[in-house]
Amino acid sequence: MIYQIINEQPQEISFEQIDDRKETVGFMSLMEFEQYYGKLEFNSSNLDECRNVKPYRGSKIEVYDDYDYCYLRVMDTRTLHRSSDRMALFMKKNLMICVEIVDEDEHLEKSFREIMSGNIRHMTLEKILYSMLLGFLGDTNDTLSHVEKHILQLEERLFNGEETGDVNKEAFQIKRRLFDCQTYYEEMQDIGLALTANANHIFHQDSMRYLTILTEKTERICKNLDQLLERLVHLQEAYDAALDLNLNRIMKIFTVVTTIFLPLTLIVGWYGMNFNMPELGWKYGYTCVIGLSVIVVIVSMIFFRRKKWL
């Protein structure tokens, strides 16, 4: 699909009809792009990168002498996980080619068609690029709001002293998603900054505000992510403090119980010695030892109660 912007409206044309003096935007598969690549005068290393898809490669932008090359790895903003969809943008004066590298659900092509058939008034390359990149940001703010509510629920569980066994696990899973999301939006922010710099004078200055708006939105999302990650750090610190508090309570109970029965241990040790003890022959001796043991326990418990250790 290749469109030429004529009278601020898109008209579909063939590759041979491209006029360098008129704004042109196209969407091609990698196989189609390889057929026309030699005529477009782009760097061959970019094509090699598009061919060799690597799972760890993130989004980036490279600025050459007369064109900009942008590699995009799309994120699923509903789950905050990187998807397998990838595309490349080749941009020069009056020309932008979108190359579909991986698009398993044909989402990229569908989005492009919707943009070109949409209600963009006074269509320009800047507005098309803005709409496309804005679609990659998606409904991230809504997703982050759900993540924030989840973090708040975890904080309430800790505050209310509820079972905290899964809190750390859930916090770790959220942090992993947010870190991946933060990397993605930092890459998008770098792309936005490079586009607004307009080093090759590809975009018209009177339309640069769209790319500026996109960059500022990405920056706000990055700040929101930083705040959520900071809250997760505080949450894990609170979780560790709760674990320490529970451990201290358990140790306190063990210490009190040990202290209560320590005098009884002394009595056992005393009467376990092989010496002549007159009270052993006394008929009330056994009863007195039992009573003494009971008194020791009661006095110890009263003492610990007054000290609020029990």
Side-chain angles (χ1 to χ4, degrees):
M1 294 178 290
I2 300 177
Y3 296 88
Q4 206 160 63
I5 310 302
I6 301 176
N7 296 325
E8 299 179 343
Q9 292 297 323
Q11 294 186 12
E12 192 166 0
I13 61 173
S14 64
F15 181 83
E16 290 74 17
Q17 294 176 308
I18 293 178
D19 187 347
D20 295 340
R21 297 167 297 178
K22 297 179 181 179
E23 292 186 335
T24 305
V25 59
F27 186 94
M28 305 178 182
S29 66
L30 182 57
M31 186 178 299
E32 292 173 329
F33 183 69
E34 288 174 338
Q35 297 175 3
Y36 302 115
Y37 186 80
K39 300 178 182 179
L40 296 173
E41 299 180 354
F42 294 126
N43 195 313
S44 60
S45 63
N46 302 141
L47 180 59
D48 292 337
E49 187 175 53
C50 294
R51 289 169 174 164
N52 301 319
V53 178
K54 297 181 179 179
Y56 58 83
R57 181 179 293 151
S59 302
K60 67 174 184 177
I61 187 169
E62 295 176 356
V63 179
Y64 293 87
D65 291 337
D66 59 344
Y67 75 96
D68 292 354
Y69 163 72
C70 183
Y71 182 93
L72 294 169
R73 182 183 176 191
V74 185
M75 168 172 279
D76 185 351
T77 55
R78 296 167 298 178
T79 62
L80 300 183
H81 287 299
R82 295 287 184 101
S83 69
S84 58
D85 293 345
R86 292 171 175 81
M87 71 177 301
L89 301 177
F90 292 83
M91 297 167 285
K92 61 169 54 178
K93 188 67 175 179
N94 293 332
L95 178 65
M96 181 173 70
I97 301 296
C98 308
V99 181
E100 172 195 58
I101 301 174
V102 178
D103 188 11
E104 294 182 350
D105 56 357
E106 298 183 352
H107 170 73
L108 299 177
E109 182 178 354
K110 180 181 178 181
S111 299
F112 181 81
R113 289 184 181 276
E114 289 176 352
I115 292 172
M116 299 308 298
S117 61
N119 297 320
I120 299 179
R121 296 181 58 188
H122 310 299
M123 184 173 288
T124 62
L125 285 182
E126 293 83 7
K127 291 183 179 180
I128 296 172
L129 180 60
Y130 168 76
S131 300
M132 187 178 302
L133 295 180
L134 188 64
F136 293 152
L137 299 184
D139 52 356
T140 306
N141 288 326
D142 293 337
T143 305
L144 292 181
S145 297
H146 290 300
V147 173
E148 186 175 9
K149 291 179 181 178
H150 191 182
I151 295 175
L152 181 60
Q153 292 174 354
L154 296 179
E155 291 173 341
E156 289 177 349
R157 285 167 57 183
L158 282 177
F159 180 78
N160 295 329
E162 298 178 7
E163 179 61 38
T164 60
D166 295 331
V167 169
N168 197 37
K169 181 179 178 181
E170 293 180 36
F172 176 77
Q173 292 174 345
I174 295 174
K175 181 184 287 188
R176 183 173 59 183
R177 292 169 60 198
L178 291 182
F179 270 132
D180 194 21
C181 187
Q182 185 184 45
T183 302
Y184 174 75
Y185 282 103
E186 286 177 349
E187 294 167 352
M188 295 296 293
Q189 185 177 354
D190 291 339
I191 291 173
L193 292 173
L195 292 174
T196 53
N198 199 20
N200 287 318
H201 305 288
I202 297 173
F203 309 111
H204 300 289
Q205 290 300 323
D206 56 349
S207 298
M208 287 297 295
R209 64 182 182 275
Y210 296 104
L211 300 179
T212 303
I213 292 171
L214 180 75
T215 304
E216 291 175 349
K217 181 175 181 178
T218 309
E219 290 175 353
R220 288 193 297 270
I221 294 175
C222 288
K223 290 180 180 178
N224 291 338
L225 286 167
D226 289 337
Q227 293 175 356
L228 290 177
L229 287 170
E230 186 175 351
R231 287 187 60 179
L232 278 175
V233 171
H234 295 319
L235 175 64
Q236 290 183 311
E237 290 176 350
Y239 173 78
D240 293 337
L243 288 181
D244 292 339
L245 182 60
N246 290 334
L247 181 60
N248 290 338
R249 288 173 179 170
I250 295 173
M251 295 304 297
K252 181 180 177 181
I253 294 173
F254 283 145
T255 302
V256 169
V257 171
T258 302
T259 305
I260 289 175
F261 286 95
L262 186 60
L264 302 182
T265 305
L266 176 62
I267 295 174
V268 171
W270 184 274
Y271 283 95
M273 295 185 297
N274 295 322
F275 292 102
N276 292 324
M277 297 180 179
E279 62 271 20
L280 294 179
W282 185 33
K283 64 179 181 178
Y284 299 110
Y286 182 65
T287 305
C288 289
V289 171
I290 294 176
L292 177 62
S293 300
V294 172
I295 292 172
V296 167
V297 173
I298 293 174
V299 170
S300 299
M301 293 184 67
I302 293 173
F303 176 78
F304 288 123
R305 283 281 186 180
R306 288 184 177 179
K307 292 293 184 179
K308 297 182 179 180
W309 294 346
L310 279 178

